[in-house]
Amino acid sequence: MKTKTIEELQRLSDEELKQLALQRHKGGRRKSTTTALRAQLVLWKRAGKPFQSEAHWVRNHLETGIHF
């Protein structure tokens, strides 16, 4: 399967992105494919959060403005 660009992924629905985000390399490698990581990025941006752990995002964006 050809690697999809961010622009191509932005045109897809959330359900299609979720399916793509589950892709893994074949042959015993447990790493996500490039398309899977890009799909995850698009989903996070749509949710209004950066591409990192939600706990880190919440911690670094407290109303007090203090970064731990």
Side-chain angles (χ1 to χ4, degrees):
M1 173 184 235
K2 180 184 166 226
T3 301
K4 295 186 182 285
T5 64
I6 298 281
E7 291 78 24
E8 291 173 325
L9 293 171
Q10 288 173 337
R11 291 185 230 127
L12 300 176
S13 70
D14 285 353
E15 289 303 317
E16 292 171 312
L17 288 172
K18 287 176 185 176
Q19 289 298 316
L20 288 174
L22 296 175
Q23 289 182 348
R24 301 277 187 235
H25 286 284
K26 292 184 180 179
R29 293 175 57 189
R30 295 184 178 218
K31 295 181 180 178
S32 298
T33 63
T34 301
T35 298
L37 294 172
R38 289 178 181 173
Q40 291 171 18
L41 174 65
V42 172
L43 286 168
W44 273 82
K45 283 185 177 181
R46 286 184 184 177
K49 297 179 181 174
F51 190 58
Q52 61 186 15
S53 141
E54 187 171 341
H56 287 119
W57 188 86
V58 170
R59 181 190 70 209
N60 292 336
H61 293 85
L62 295 173
E63 291 183 22
T64 61
I66 298 173
H67 296 275
F68 298 97

